[in-house]
Amino acid sequence: MSLPLGRFLVRTPWLVVFADGLRVFPTGFEFALHVRRDLRPRDVARGEAVDWQPPFVQEHDSEDQLRFGVLFPDGRRAVAQQGWSVEWRTPEGPRPPVIAPQDGSGSWDHWDQSFWVWGLPAGGPVTVFYSWAEEGVPETRFELDGDALRAAAAETLVFWPEPEPEPEQDAEPEQD
């Protein structure tokens, strides 16, 4: 189920970052971040070569990239990063939230990246926090309405229901 989300995270004369495309599922939600960069004022106009790395694809976690995460009301948090593993999908996986990068594409002046957030809080809002030190963006926060997320999750169409747990077998009495 889709919920409205259209929010500027960063807006400078040469850089815009915005979030949209909030879709909710029974086990979490996804949204997209979009980066648009006008290289003319800063780089191209000065005759400098265009040497810009998209903000989400560095090989390692770095202050140079756009950093963001989510905070649940009970204090649990997750930070988006490259190199995530599918191990969280196992039954013994980590406790939510978990942020996993999904589809992403772009070029020298734009980048679009979707993210999956596994888990929904039991109550209260989800706080999204972000920063981008290289671009002079200090940590900033905004909230997603947790009640709306949970209500939308309850209304989603489930394609494949979770399997019923196997009934526990009574232990056979030991024989002498």
Side-chain angles (χ1 to χ4, degrees):
M1 172 165 273
S2 295
L3 290 177
L5 173 64
R7 182 173 189 96
F8 282 108
L9 307 182
V10 178
R11 194 169 192 178
T12 73
W14 58 86
L15 179 70
V16 172
V17 180
F18 61 98
D20 71 2
L22 180 59
R23 294 186 342 166
V24 184
F25 299 86
T27 58
F29 59 96
E30 69 181 5
F31 63 96
L33 291 180
H34 308 277
V35 176
R36 299 295 181 264
R37 185 162 173 158
D38 183 354
L39 297 176
R40 292 173 297 169
R42 241 173 41 165
D43 302 321
V44 178
R46 293 191 304 222
E48 295 177 9
V50 174
D51 184 22
W52 180 64
Q53 292 292 316
F56 307 116
V57 295
Q58 271 81 14
E59 303 250 340
H60 53 74
D61 192 27
S62 141
E63 292 296 322
D64 294 342
Q65 67 191 35
L66 174 61
R67 302 182 73 178
F68 77 96
V70 295
L71 174 65
F72 280 11
D74 64 3
R76 291 180 292 146
R77 61 187 278 145
V79 177
Q81 56 190 3
Q82 285 299 109
W84 67 281
S85 170
V86 295
E87 292 171 11
W88 64 271
R89 293 183 181 179
T90 66
E92 304 81 31
R95 192 171 165 204
V98 173
I99 300 177
Q102 301 294 300
D103 299 330
S105 65
S107 70
W108 63 275
D109 64 345
H110 69 280
W111 192 261
D112 301 303
Q113 180 81 51
S114 63
F115 291 90
W116 167 252
V117 178
W118 177 55
L120 293 170
V126 173
T127 302
V128 178
F129 57 91
Y130 58 94
S131 65
W132 196 350
E134 183 180 60
E135 295 294 339
V137 178
E139 185 171 301
T140 308
R141 297 170 177 236
F142 69 92
E143 289 185 348
L144 296 174
D145 183 341
D147 292 335
L149 289 171
R150 288 183 295 282
E155 295 294 319
T156 59
L157 177 63
V158 177
F159 293 165
W160 297 281
E162 291 292 324
E164 294 292 324
E166 296 281 329
E168 290 188 31
Q169 299 287 331
D170 290 334
E172 298 264 338
E174 290 185 27
Q175 296 182 1
D176 292 327

